[in-house]
């Protein structure tokens, strides 16, 4: 689970609810793993928001064992290259230098491990969605995006342009 644009959960009730949702998703996937004997080897969360405080980063890492990205990649994150280093809630021993999100280790007839990534982007600009999609273009079948409706961006652009609907000749 990669979380982008969540905001300051120590200052915003909405951000706090979104943070709690991330923890619940992580634990839910872990329960599914444990009860269904699926091939999920690691369940992890990685968070980035440029306005995150040091306290929030500490809470993520030390209290919830959630990684925080330190560099602003502007959403140019391919699901296969996300730098998550941890030893999360897994029943199996995990090397602390392993990079995973949710990994399918059923690799019969293949040496490629499939990495399934959920991008949770509650308050991100349209450009960030474009960068996520572009960066994962050849891995779209391995990602899910939970975020804003693209319709809301179109409506916002419509309202910002003074309710002008463009016709086919580019005028008015």
């Amino acid at each position: 689970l990669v979380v982008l644009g969540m905001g300051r959960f120590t200052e915003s009730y909405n951000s706090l609810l979104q943070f709690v949702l991330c923890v619940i998703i992580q634990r839910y996937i872990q329960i599914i793993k444990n009860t269904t004997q699926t091939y999920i080897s690691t369940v992890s969360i990685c968070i980035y928001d440029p306005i995150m405080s040091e306290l929030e980063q500490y809470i993520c890492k030390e209290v919830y064992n959630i990684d925080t990205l330190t560099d602003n990649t502007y959403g140019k994150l391919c699901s296969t290259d996300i730098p998550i280093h941890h030893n999360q809630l897994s029943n199996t021993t995990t090397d602390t230098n392993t990079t995973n999100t949710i990994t399918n280790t059923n690799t019969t007839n293949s040496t490629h491990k499939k990495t399934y990534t959920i991008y949770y982007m509650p308050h991100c600009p349209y450009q960030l969605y474009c960068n996520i999609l572009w960066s994962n273009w050849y891995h779209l079948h391995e990602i899910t995006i939970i975020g804003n409706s693209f319709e809301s961006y179109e409506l916002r652009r419509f309202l910002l342009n003074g309710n002008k609907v463009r016709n086919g000749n580019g005028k008015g």
Side-chain angles (χ1 to χ4, degrees), residues 41 80 98 100 103-105 107 110-115 142:
S41 66
T80 59
T98 303
N100 289 332
T103 305
N104 179 352
T105 57
T107 56
S110 173
T111 58
H112 172 70
K113 286 186 177 181
K114 291 190 175 198
T115 302
E142 297 175 359

Side-chain angles (χ1 to χ4, degrees), residues 42-110:
T42 304
V43 180
S44 58
I45 300 178
C46 174
I47 293 180
Y48 178 78
D49 195 304
I51 64 171
M52 262 183 112
S53 69
E54 288 182 21
L55 172 62
E56 290 164 326
Q57 291 176 14
Y58 176 83
I59 291 169
C60 286
K61 183 176 174 121
E62 300 301 324
V63 178
Y64 292 97
N65 200 21
I66 295 173
D67 292 308
T68 55
L69 294 173
T70 55
D71 296 328
N72 189 349
T73 62
Y74 301 97
K76 296 175 184 165
L77 292 168
C78 182
S79 64
T80 59
D81 299 326
I82 297 168
I84 299 176
H85 306 285
H86 55 80
N87 51 4
Q88 283 293 121
L89 297 170
S90 179
N91 283 340
T92 59
T93 304
T94 309
D95 178 28
T96 56
N97 292 322
T98 303
T99 301
N100 289 332
T101 49
I102 302 171
T103 305
N104 179 352
T105 57
N106 185 5
T107 56
T108 56
N109 301 327
S110 173

Side-chain angles (χ1 to χ4, degrees), residues 8-21:
R8 305 265 324 259
F9 61 84
T10 58
E11 295 181 4
S12 165
Y13 182 70
N14 288 337
S15 294
L16 178 60
L17 291 176
Q18 292 159 0
F19 179 75
V20 170
L21 177 62

Side-chain angles (χ1 to χ4, degrees), residues 97-171:
N97 292 322
T98 303
T99 301
N100 289 332
T101 49
I102 302 171
T103 305
N104 179 352
T105 57
N106 185 5
T107 56
T108 56
N109 301 327
S110 173
T111 58
H112 172 70
K113 286 186 177 181
K114 291 190 175 198
T115 302
Y116 300 97
T117 303
I118 300 170
Y119 290 93
Y120 180 52
M121 306 166 59
H123 296 292
C124 294
Y126 181 76
Q127 296 82 359
L128 210 56
Y129 287 94
C130 291
N131 288 345
I132 290 291
L133 290 170
W134 183 259
S135 297
N136 291 282
W137 193 252
Y138 298 105
H139 306 281
L140 291 177
H141 60 284
E142 297 175 359
I143 70 168
T144 299
I145 298 176
I146 301 171
N148 300 327
S149 163
F150 291 138
E151 228 175 59
S152 68
Y153 291 106
E154 185 61 30
L155 178 61
R156 195 172 303 133
R157 284 177 47 196
F158 176 74
L159 293 173
L160 288 175
N161 289 330
N163 300 332
K164 294 181 183 174
V165 177
R166 298 184 64 88
N167 60 26
N169 64 10
K171 294 182 181 176

